[in-house]
Amino acid sequence: MGRLFWKFFLTFWLALLVAGIGVGTAVWLRHNAWQGQEAGQLVDVGHAASFVAVSENIIRHSGVAGLRSFLDSMRETPFPPVYAVDDQDRDILQRSLALEVLQQARTLFQQAAYPEAIRVVTADDGQRYLLFVPLPEHGFADRPPPMPDGGFAPPPGDRSLHRSRPPREPPTPRMPILAGTLASLMFSAALAWYFSKPIRSLRNAFAALAQGDLDTRVGASMGKRRDELSDLGRDFDHMAGQIHSLVHAQQRLLHDVSHELRSPLARIQAAIGVAQQQPEKTQTMLGRIERESQRISDLVGGLLMLSRLEAGVPGSESHDFDIGALLDDIVEDARFEAEQLGVSIRYHGIAEIVVKGRSELLHRAIENVLRNALQHCRKHGEVSVAARFDTGKRRLQVTVDDQGPGVAESELAAIFEPFFRSGDRSKADSIGLGLAIAYRAIEAHGGRIQAGNRPQGGLRIEIEIPFAG
C-alpha cells in the first residue's frame, strides 16, 4: 500500500470513528437518562389512598351506581384508575385485570400492608368490593420486607409506590463503540482503496512510459468510474498516444532522411569514380555532382524549414503586404516552370488587398502547392488557380486543380506528411517535403489546407487563410 492510501484511510477512518463515537455516546446517554427518568417516576401513596377513600365514600352514599358513574368518568383523566372488584373477581366496570395483580392486592389487604390504599367496602346491595389502585405491570413495585411470620409489611417511612420496574443497570457502550469502529474501519479501507487504486495504476503507467513502453494505456484499469481520476487516465492515454505518434514520426523521418541522403551521395560517389577512371568524362560528371549537391542542399533546407515550423518558429515577423500581388508573383514564377513541363496555367486572381501576415511563409506554402500540381499534371494538361478574398471575414481562399492521376482515397490524409510518395514514382526531382512544409506553414498562420480528388480526374487542394482586421 502506498502513502496516499494510508493518508486517505486514516483521514476517513478517524473522521468516521469520531463521528460514530460522538453519536453513539449521545444516544447511550439519552437512553440512560430516559431509563433513569422512567425508573424514578413515583406515585404518592397518599394520592392513591385519596382516590380510594373518595371511591369508598361514593359507594357508601350513592351506592354501586354512583361508584360506577364516578369510575367511568375517571377513564378520560390522567389520574391512576381505581378498581372495585367483588368476591367473584369481577370489576364493577367489567375492566380486564391481571389475576396476579388482583391476588397481590388481596394478599396485601390481608396483611394490612397498605390499609389506606387498599380497602374493602360493603355496598348497598350487600356485595363486598375490594378498592385499590393497581400498578402498570405486576401490582405494587417493591414488595414490603417479610415479617417474622412470613407475611409482608410496609417498609418504615415508605410513602410511595413505583409505577415501573426497579431501575435496571445501564448497558455498557462497549458493543456500540466496537461495532462503529469495525464499520468505520471497513468503510475507510474501501474508500481509500477506491481512490488510491487508479493513482497507483497511473504511477505504474508513467514508470512504464518513462522506460520506453509507448504502448502503455490505463483506460482499461479505470473501469467504469466517471470522475476526475478517470479523466486524468484518459488524458494520460491521449498523451501517450501523442508521444507514440511523435516518436514514430521522428523515427520515420530519420529513416526517410537517411534514405533520401543515401541516394544522391551514392550517385556523387559513382560520378567521382567515373571521373577518376575516365578523365574525358570529368566535365559531365562534375555536372552530375553539382545536381546531386543541389538536391542535398534543397533537402537540408526543406528539413530546416520543416523543423522551424514544427517548433513554432516561422521566421519572419508579420507585416503589411499586398496579398493580390503576392499571388501574381507566385503564378508568374510558376509559368516559367510550367513551360518546361509542357503544362499551362489558368489563373483567376484578386485585386490589390493589403493584409498583415508573414509574406515569406505564405509565399513558400502556396508556391509549394502550385509546383506540386505542375509536377503531377499530365503533359499538355492545365493547372487551374482560383483565388477569392472574403472582405467581411478577412479570409483568403485559394483552390489549385491539376489534371494528374490524383491520389488514392486512403492516401489523401498522408500527402501532407514528410517524404510521402504516391503511386507515381516517375517524379524523381521531388524530395517529398513541399506539401508537408505548406501544411505546417498554413497551419502556423491559423489557416487550413485539405486535398481531394476531382470528379473529372486530378487532385484539388483548397487553402483557407484568415487575416487580422
Side-chain angles (χ1 to χ4, degrees):
M1 303 296 178
R3 288 173 293 178
L4 186 61
F5 171 86
W6 291 113
K7 288 181 181 179
F8 277 128
F9 173 76
L10 292 176
T11 301
F12 292 139
W13 182 57
L14 288 176
L16 291 173
L17 185 62
V18 171
I21 291 177
V23 173
T25 303
V27 173
W28 179 70
L29 292 175
R30 175 64 178 172
H31 177 71
N32 287 345
W34 177 81
Q35 281 190 335
Q37 182 179 5
E38 182 187 42
Q41 289 180 347
L42 302 176
V43 177
D44 187 76
V45 176
H47 291 168
S50 299
F51 285 108
V52 171
V54 170
S55 300
E56 181 182 7
N57 290 332
I58 291 175
I59 197 172
R60 289 186 183 279
H61 295 86
S62 302
V64 176
L67 179 61
R68 183 179 293 111
S69 176
F70 171 71
L71 296 181
D72 186 58
S73 64
M74 288 184 60
R75 288 185 176 183
E76 304 300 329
T77 65
F79 302 116
V82 178
Y83 281 82
V85 182
D86 59 17
D87 293 336
Q88 286 76 36
D89 297 339
R90 294 175 300 184
D91 177 58
I92 193 172
L93 296 180
Q94 303 300 322
R95 291 171 292 183
S96 60
L97 185 64
L99 183 60
E100 180 184 1
V101 176
L102 180 59
Q103 290 176 351
Q104 185 180 11
R106 291 189 185 280
T107 300
L108 293 175
F109 173 74
Q110 293 172 1
Q111 296 173 354
Y114 296 97
E116 298 177 352
I118 305 175
R119 304 182 184 186
V120 174
V121 61
T122 302
D124 54 358
D125 58 357
Q127 185 66 261
R128 285 162 44 93
Y129 289 94
L130 177 66
L131 302 178
F132 66 95
V133 176
L135 300 178
E137 293 183 0
H138 301 295
F140 301 95
D142 292 332
R143 291 178 179 269
M147 296 292 290
D149 58 357
F152 292 90
D158 186 8
R159 298 291 299 169
S160 64
L161 297 174
H162 291 276
R163 293 192 61 185
S164 63
R165 299 177 187 178
R168 294 174 293 179
E169 183 180 354
T172 175
R174 183 183 307 167
M175 288 304 297
I177 292 177
L178 181 60
T181 302
L182 291 177
S184 63
L185 193 68
M186 295 174 61
F187 179 77
S188 300
L191 199 58
W193 177 267
Y194 177 78
F195 282 120
S196 63
K197 182 177 181 294
I199 298 176
R200 188 167 55 253
S201 300
L202 283 170
R203 179 184 178 184
N204 295 334
F206 275 111
L209 189 66
Q211 293 176 0
D213 186 2
L214 301 181
D215 294 325
T216 302
R217 301 292 185 272
V218 296
S221 63
M222 291 295 172
K224 297 182 178 180
R225 60 189 302 149
R226 296 290 183 271
D227 52 19
E228 288 77 4
L229 291 176
S230 63
D231 294 340
L232 183 61
R234 284 191 293 271
D235 292 341
F236 173 85
D237 289 347
H238 178 70
M239 178 195 69
Q242 292 294 102
I243 293 176
H244 183 275
S245 299
L246 290 174
V247 172
H248 180 69
Q250 293 295 330
Q251 292 174 347
R252 186 179 60 192
L253 180 62
L254 181 61
H255 175 270
D256 292 340
V257 169
S258 301
H259 177 75
E260 293 293 331
L261 288 175
R262 185 184 296 116
S263 298
L265 287 175
R267 288 192 289 269
I268 289 175
Q269 291 175 351
I272 293 174
V274 171
Q276 290 175 345
Q277 296 176 6
Q278 302 178 19
E280 67 276 9
K281 296 183 178 181
T282 301
Q283 291 298 325
T284 305
M285 293 301 104
L286 287 176
R288 183 70 175 180
I289 293 173
E290 183 180 6
R291 289 196 299 272
E292 298 300 335
S293 299
Q294 184 61 44
R295 179 178 176 82
I296 294 175
S297 177
D298 293 341
L299 176 61
V300 173
L303 287 173
L304 289 175
M305 172 63 74
L306 184 64
S307 177
R308 286 198 299 268
L309 291 173
E310 288 183 341
V313 185
S316 61
E317 297 295 331
S318 297
H319 60 278
D320 295 334
F321 65 95
D322 182 1
I323 187 63
L326 178 69
L327 293 175
D328 293 341
D329 292 342
I330 294 173
V331 173
E332 188 62 30
D333 292 341
R335 289 189 191 277
F336 176 76
E337 184 177 352
E339 291 178 1
Q340 305 298 321
L341 298 173
V343 178
S344 62
I345 297 179
R346 181 161 53 91
Y347 173 55
H348 297 281
I350 58 177
E352 177 182 351
I353 299 176
V354 177
V355 295
K356 186 174 184 178
R358 300 183 181 95
S359 59
E360 280 187 37
L361 201 61
L362 296 179
H363 188 284
R364 183 73 174 267
I366 299 174
E367 182 183 43
N368 285 353
V369 172
L370 184 53
R371 291 189 64 189
N372 179 80
L374 292 175
Q375 290 176 1
H376 292 86
C377 187
R378 61 179 173 83
K379 194 172 182 63
H380 306 301
E382 182 182 72
V383 172
S384 175
V385 181
R388 188 174 70 88
F389 192 87
D390 187 345
T391 56
K393 296 182 179 179
R394 302 287 296 175
R395 191 175 297 268
L396 173 68
Q397 294 176 338
V398 179
T399 303
V400 179
D401 296 337
D402 63 51
Q403 294 180 348
V407 179
E409 293 293 333
S410 60
E411 297 179 343
L412 283 175
I415 66 174
F416 298 107
E417 295 297 326
F419 301 108
F420 171 79
R421 298 289 178 82
S422 65
D424 184 9
R425 302 288 180 176
S426 61
K427 307 299 181 181
D429 293 338
S430 174
I431 61 175
L433 291 177
L435 291 183
I437 293 175
Y439 180 86
R440 286 157 180 79
I442 298 299
E443 190 179 51
H445 211 281
R448 65 181 183 87
I449 180 173
Q450 59 184 7
N453 290 311
R454 302 168 61 208
Q456 61 272 33
L459 188 70
R460 167 173 290 181
I461 295 182
E462 297 178 346
I463 302 172
E464 187 173 326
I465 307 170
F467 294 96

